[in-house]
């Protein structure tokens, strides 16, 4: 068995309103079939993939969150320390576009203000039902300092690009020193290929019973 | 002409004609005539008249006698001459007449002669004419014949020259028999015409043509391997029969099959490897297939190999049918016997060929599998691959009745190693999930169970809790047990039919095909009550806000007196769901790989263990009370067992252990407001318990998929792990409960009470109020929590019992700090804790307060006589020596007794 040597490990989020195609995007990315009748995600799901970015093999640890409102509280804990996020809306749904700023705020406050976010307009294949124009979304992206791509999880168009573009930006920022992998909660870890390792967080020493009670 | 008389007269002796002459002659003459000796009438040639006379001369020869004789003779001569003259003159007319007649005849003869001569002349002429033309004709005919035969030869030569082309035409028209026949005939013809010099050339050319034709036949024969065409084969067979090479052809065909297997295998791979690696050995080619292409490559491989198997299968069938059709009656004819022997030989060959071909196919597939990095397949792909292999084994069973032991074994070992690898991945993922888990209650329906998850869709019919157990077992036995059912083989046989160009493998190319289709498992029955247990969680229309509303309405009356409202709650976390989803996948693996069910189930249990262990690890890390009575024996055993498989040193442990999860940094477990993370603790513990319940739900199913002797293992897990999880509540809830009241502050407050009072007090001590207030605060904060998560009675009860357990112990601790205590003081103690319990009952809803015996017994031991005290200190091990010594100090007034009992207590220490 081949042991892949990875240099970095990035924690990624996929966020956005329900039904925008987050799970579909992730599944497409990790190589599963597209399903027309995918169920809503309950809580979060997980996928990982090793990609090659500029010659560096990098493991992406991707958390696919549920978009339904009721799962907000559950999914929040997964935002912590994400290095990158795909913020997904559905180009055929104005509603999903309108809620973007809420998602964006959550991501920046819960994950990290420096989180690299790529705006994804999904379902590009359904041009005939488009409700959000490319220009409009580009403008939103520009205003909020996001990268932007339109994708289709159905045809696979731009899916890999989206993840790679986001990863490349993170890597570039590491190299310019803008991002510090050593900082706890950066969402970046050194992989198996590097000797540098994040020092494992110290486990709190088990408290010695200060109470004399026996229970 | 001549009258009869005349002729008579002419020829007769003169004496005979005397009658007619008598009239003319005188009687004397007649007399004389008569006297003539007869001899004189003899012809002169025979009779010499002189001599006769001399001889008859008279004796003695006297002149007279001679004269007399002379006269007589003279007379006789005269008479005769006269007579003769007379006769002549008498006959003169006749003579003339006769002469004329003769003359006439002469003339006629001359004429006749002339005619003859003429005739002959004519004849000669005509005969000359006739003979020459005949000869010419004959000669011509002969010539013509010769030319004809030359022409024939030429024609033959011409046809011999065109044999090549004709044969090629026939071959194109697939008339092999005719082609061979033509060649053989031509060859024979050629050998009959050796006299022509050109024939020698032609003969070699014919031989070449024959060789070429045989080659062509051979190549057509090899095409049979890929697609058995009955007509084509029949033709070939006839042609080979004619050549007398039927048996040799069969040998050859078998070699073709072998090489077809090789070629096809290489072909199947070619599409998926780089140009450069095409010249490699098969095994190396397999290794160079890109991993993501391996499943499709395997599919191609199997499908192509199947086509060859099908062709062979049809070939064998054809022979069986063919043999039946023309089974020869057993005969003594040598030729027939030979034919039968050959046929029997071919039959055996074919029969053995089935197995041999399958082994070759199996070897190819195994080689591919071994080199294709199976562990790296995505789950879906792996399942698909299993499906392909399973189909292949079914194919083999139909093909040659082989159970594919090699492949089965291989599938098993590969599956086990895949599963282990897959499991390792899932465990890593689980670790991630746990480390990131927010321990928030995931909002699911109150009736949620694992069947609501998509991953369990296929198991609904086996697991549905509403259905009777018997039906579970029954439906299982036909669903999952046998790998090869009767139906399968019927189904597969269909694909061996010559009229189909479908293969059993094309199902895998269909995007919409489900794994169940692939494995030929019964599709899920659409039960009529489907709508009831439809996973509403998963429905698009699910309106979560309404759900949310329902939850909050519960909290409008938060009182514990209405526990029925909250009874139905389900507490699950994201991670719980993730574990359950994984279980679903593991069970799917089992469905497709019944032979490794136990291994998979054990791995599935490991997921549970890890979750269980982690919850304990995370949420008891701050347990600050001694724990001996918080842990049941079974709980200790389970934790011990699981910790053996967990690598706590975070080093690189062996492959069997899994790294221990890191304690989460993001959880707030210190805030008093939040009861030290009680909400998270509850979610954690209750989610483990929920998970255990789900596992229990699976047990009957699991027991049905493992071998009977393996059931014990499952039962053991159920009894010693799943049943034990509720015990986790005690230590974990105690973490929060023990912080509900400030122990130090309370003990100080208790120590300020005077226990050696004379009179029994009417009012309880102030520390009781202090404790009560603390408990009230706890209750309020607990309410806050229950507005966020749905707490059922059991949870509340166990939290409160931990609070009371802690308080009871706190009380005993406090009481034991009193070195002096009067009777009234003992009464005050009772008053205090009774008062406290009344309050606690009210606040917690617990009635009676659990564990109150502990303090009750301790306080009342004061009243025991010496003997009773001794028994008490010997038997009640739940009290510490400090507690007991304090008890003795207060209860024993007699100094000697006190010393004796103290000695017993201290002796106990030594004993332990
Ligand atoms: N035509 C088209 N349909 C898509 C595309 N992506 C997703 N879908 C469909 O949209 C529906 C929702 O997709 P999901 O991937 O479940 O959406 P989601 O964002 O994960 O939804 P939640 O899990 O509820 O947050 C599914 O029925 C998909 O088949 C796309 O690119 N094109
Ligand atoms: Mg989803």
């Amino acid at each position: 068995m081949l042991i892949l040597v990875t240099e970095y490990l990035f924690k990624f989020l996929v966020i956005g309103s329900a039904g925008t195609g987050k799970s579909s995007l992730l599944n497409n990315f990790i190589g599963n079939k597209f399903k027309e009748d995918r169920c809503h995600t309950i809580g979060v799901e997980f996928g990982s993939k090793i990609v090659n970015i500029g010659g560096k093999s990098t493991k992406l640890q991707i958390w696919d969150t549920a978009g339904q409102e009721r799962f907000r509280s559950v999914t929040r804990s997964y935002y912590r320390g994400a290095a990158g996020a795909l913020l997904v809306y559905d180009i055929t749904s104005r509603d999903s576009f309108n809620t973007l700023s809420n998602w964006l705020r959550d991501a920046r406050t819960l994950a990290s203000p420096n989180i690299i976010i790529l705006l994804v307009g999904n379902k590009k294949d359904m041009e005939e039902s488009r409700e959000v124009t490319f220009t409009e979304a580009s403008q939103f992206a520009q205003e909020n300092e996001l990268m932007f791509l339109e994708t289709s999880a159905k045809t696979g168009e731009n899916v890999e690009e989206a993840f790679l573009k986001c990863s490349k930006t993170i890597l570039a920022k590491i190299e310019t020193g803008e991002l510090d992998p050593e900082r706890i909660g950066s969402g970046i870890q050194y992989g198996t290929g590097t000797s540098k390792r994040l020092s494992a967080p110290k486990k709190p020493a088990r408290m010695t019973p200060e109470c004399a009670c026996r229970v | 002409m001549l009258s009869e008389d005349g002729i008579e007269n002419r020829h007769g002796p003169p004496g005979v004609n005397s009658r007619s002459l008598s009239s003319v002659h005188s009687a004397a003459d007649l007399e004389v005539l008569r006297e003539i000796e007869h001899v004189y009438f003899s012809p002169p040639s025979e009779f010499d008249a002189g001599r006769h006379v001399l001889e008859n001369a008279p004796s003695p020869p006297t002149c007279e006698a001679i004269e007399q004789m002379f006269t007589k003779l003279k007379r006789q001569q005269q008479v005769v001459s006269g007579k003769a003259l007379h006769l002549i003159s008498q006959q003169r007319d006749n003579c003339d007449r006769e002469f004329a007649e003769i003359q006439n005849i002469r003339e006629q003869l001359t004429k006749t002669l002339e005619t003859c001569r003429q005739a002959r002349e004519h004849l000669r002429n005509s005969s000359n004419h006739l003979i020459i033309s005949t000869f010419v004709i004959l000669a011509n005919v002969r010539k013509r014949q010769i030319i004809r035969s030359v022409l024939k030869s030429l024609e033959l030569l011409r046809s011999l020259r065109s044999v090549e082309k004709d044969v090629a035409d026939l071959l194109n028209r697939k008339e092999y028999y005719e082609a061979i026949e033509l060649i053989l005939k031509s060859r024979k013809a050629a050998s009959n015409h050796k006299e022509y010099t050109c024939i020698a050339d032609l003969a070699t050319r014919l031989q070449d043509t024959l060789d070429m034709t045989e080659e062509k036949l051979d190549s057509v024969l090899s095409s049979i391997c890929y697609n058995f065409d009955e007509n084509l084969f029949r033709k070939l067979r006839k042609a080979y029969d004619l050549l007398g090479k039927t048996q040799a052809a069969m040998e050859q065909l078998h070699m073709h099959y072998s090489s077809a297997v090789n070629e096809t295998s290489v072909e199947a791979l070619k599409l998926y490897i780089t140009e450069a690696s095409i010249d490699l050995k098969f095994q190396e080619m397999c290794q160079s297939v890109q991993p993501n292409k391996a499943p499709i490559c395997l599919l191609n491989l199997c499908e192509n190999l199947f086509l060859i198997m099908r062709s062979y299968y049809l070939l064998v069938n054809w022979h069986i049918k063919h043999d039946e059709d023309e089974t020869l009656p057993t005969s003594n004819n040598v030729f027939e016997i030979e034919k039968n022997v050959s046929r029997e030989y071919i039959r055996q060959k074919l029969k053995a060929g089935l197995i041999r071909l399958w082994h070759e196919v199996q070897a190819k597939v195994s080689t591919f599998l071994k080199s294709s990095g199976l562990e790296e397949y995505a789950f879906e792909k792996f399942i698909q691959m299993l499906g392909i292999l399973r189909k292949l084994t079914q194919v083999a069973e139909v093909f040659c009745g082989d159970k594919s032991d090699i492949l089965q074994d291989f599938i098993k070992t590969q599956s086990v190693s895949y599963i282990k690898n897959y499991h390792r991945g899932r465990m890593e993922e689980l670790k991630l999930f746990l480390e990131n888990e927010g321990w928030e209650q995931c909002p699911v329906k109150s009736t949620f169970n694992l069947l609501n998850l998509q991953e369990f869709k296929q198991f609904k019919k086996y697991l549905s809790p509403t259905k009777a157990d018997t039906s579970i077992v029954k439906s299982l036995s036909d669903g999952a047990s046998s790998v090869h059912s009767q139906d399968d083989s019927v189904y597969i046989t269909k694909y061996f039919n010559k009229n189909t160009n479908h293969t059993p493998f094309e199902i895998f190319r269909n995007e919409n095909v489900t794994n169940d289709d692939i494995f030929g498992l019964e599709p899920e029955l659409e039960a009529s009550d489907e709508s009831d247990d439809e996973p509403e969680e998963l429905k698009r229309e699910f309106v979560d806000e309404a759900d949310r509303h329902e939850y909050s309405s519960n909290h409008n009356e938060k009182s514990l007196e209405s526990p029925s409202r909250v009874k139905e709650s389900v507490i699950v976390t994201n991670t719980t769901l993730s574990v359950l989803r994984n279980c679903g996948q593991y069970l799917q693996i089992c469905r497709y790989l019944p032979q490794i069910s136990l291994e998979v189930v054990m791995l599935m249990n490991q997921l549970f263990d890890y979750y269980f262990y982690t919850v304990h690890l995370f949420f008891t890390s701050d347990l600050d009370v001694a724990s001996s009575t918080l842990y049941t024996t079974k709980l200790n055993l389970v934790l011990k067992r699981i910790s053996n498989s967990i690598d706590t040193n975070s080093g690189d442990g062996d492959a069997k252990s899994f790294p221990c999860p890191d304690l989460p940094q993001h959880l707030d477990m210190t805030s008093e407001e939040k009861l030290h993370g009680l909400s998270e603790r509850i979610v954690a513990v209750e989610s483990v318990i929920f998970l255990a319940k789900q596992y229990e739900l699976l047990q009957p199913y699991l027991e049905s998929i493992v071998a009977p002797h393996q059931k014990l293992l499952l039962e053991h897990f159920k009894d010693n792990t799943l049943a034990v999880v509720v015990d986790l509540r005690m230590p974990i809830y105690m973490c929060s409960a023990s912080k509900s009241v400030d122990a130090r502050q309370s003990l100080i407050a208790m120590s300020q009470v005077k226990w050696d009072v004379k009179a029994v007090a009417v009012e309880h001590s102030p520390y009781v109020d202090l404790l009560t207030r603390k408990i009230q605060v706890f209750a309020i904060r607990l309410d806050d929590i229950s507005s966020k998560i749905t707490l059922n009675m059991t949870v509340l009860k166990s939290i409160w019992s931990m609070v009371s357990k802690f308080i009871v112990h706190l009380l005993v601790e406090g009481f034991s700090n009193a070195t002096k205590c009067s009777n009234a003081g003992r009464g005050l103690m009772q008053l205090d804790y009774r008062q406290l319990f009344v309050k606690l009952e009210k606040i917690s809803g617990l009635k009676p307060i659990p564990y109150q015996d502990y303090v009750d017994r301790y306080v009342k031991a004061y009243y025991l006589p010496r003997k009773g005290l001794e028994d008490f200190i010997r038997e009640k091990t739940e009290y510490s020596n400090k507690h007991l010594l304090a008890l003795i100090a207060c209860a024993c007034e007699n100094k000697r007794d006190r010393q004796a009992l103290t000695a017993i207590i201290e002796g106990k220490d030594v004993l332990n």
Side-chain angles (χ1 to χ4, degrees), chain B residues 569-585:
Chain B
S569 78
V570 162
I571 296 178
V572 291
T573 65
N574 244 326
T575 312
T576 326
L577 294 174
S578 159
V579 170
L580 285 175
R581 278 191 208 106
N582 281 328
C583 287
Q585 303 235 299

Side-chain angles (χ1 to χ4, degrees), chain B residues 44-99:
Chain B
S45 56
E46 288 170 14
F47 175 68
D48 189 351
R51 182 164 304 242
H52 181 78
V53 171
L54 288 171
E55 275 166 13
N56 289 327
S59 23
T62 63
C63 266
E64 201 191 291
I66 293 176
E67 271 301 327
Q68 204 188 343
M69 209 189 96
F70 179 73
T71 335
K72 195 187 161 192
L73 278 173
K74 196 100 176 193
R75 181 61 207 150
Q76 278 175 342
Q77 194 206 357
Q78 280 164 352
V79 169
V80 167
S81 295
K83 182 67 176 174
L85 200 55
H86 174 65
L87 278 172
I88 286 166
S89 60
Q90 205 182 356
Q91 287 298 325
R92 175 85 184 237
D93 286 344
N94 278 346
C95 183
D96 285 345
R97 224 178 21 244
E98 278 299 309
F99 192 74

Side-chain angles (χ1 to χ4, degrees), chain B residues 47 146 254 354 433 476 580 780 787:
Chain B
F47 175 68
I146 291 169
H254 277 86
L354 281 170
F433 263 99
L476 263 179
L580 285 175
I780 290 164
S787 71

Side-chain angles (χ1 to χ4, degrees), chain B residues 287-321:
Chain B
Q287 279 161 350
S288 65
V289 171
Q290 297 155 21
N292 58 339
K293 296 279 194 252
I296 180 76
C297 195
L298 175 71
L299 180 56
N300 264 6
L301 182 66
C302 289
E303 196 161 31
N304 291 358
L305 289 174
F306 167 76
L307 292 178
I308 295 175
M309 286 166 76
R310 175 166 72 195
S311 150
Y312 194 80
Y313 185 83
L314 292 173
L315 174 77
V316 174
N317 270 359
W318 185 88
H319 275 89
I320 292 169
K321 225 174 91 200

Side-chain angles (χ1 to χ4, degrees), chain B residues 474-492:
Chain B
K474 210 176 122 229
S475 52
L476 263 179
S477 56
D478 49 58
S481 60
S482 85
V483 185
H484 301 292
S485 71
Q486 186 72 30
D487 292 349
D488 280 340
S489 68
V490 172
Y491 172 76
I492 294 288

Side-chain angles (χ1 to χ4, degrees), chain A residues 25 85-91 97 100 117-124 130 132-134 137-139 141-142 146-153 156-169:
Chain A
L25 284 168
L86 299 192
L87 173 53
V88 187
Y89 71 94
D90 173 355
I91 64 151
F97 184 74
L100 283 178
I117 302 175
L118 186 129
L119 182 65
V120 173
N122 190 35
K123 309 201 186 177
K124 189 173 192 283
R130 181 190 279 275
V132 183
T133 65
F134 185 87
S138 308
Q139 200 181 337
Q142 215 162 24
L146 309 173
M147 291 174 285
F148 175 53
L149 273 179
E150 282 193 345
T151 64
S152 165
E157 187 179 351
N158 273 343
V159 175
E160 188 151 10
E161 286 80 349
F163 285 96
L164 290 184
K165 192 167 180 181
C166 202
S167 309
K168 270 182 203 150
T169 314

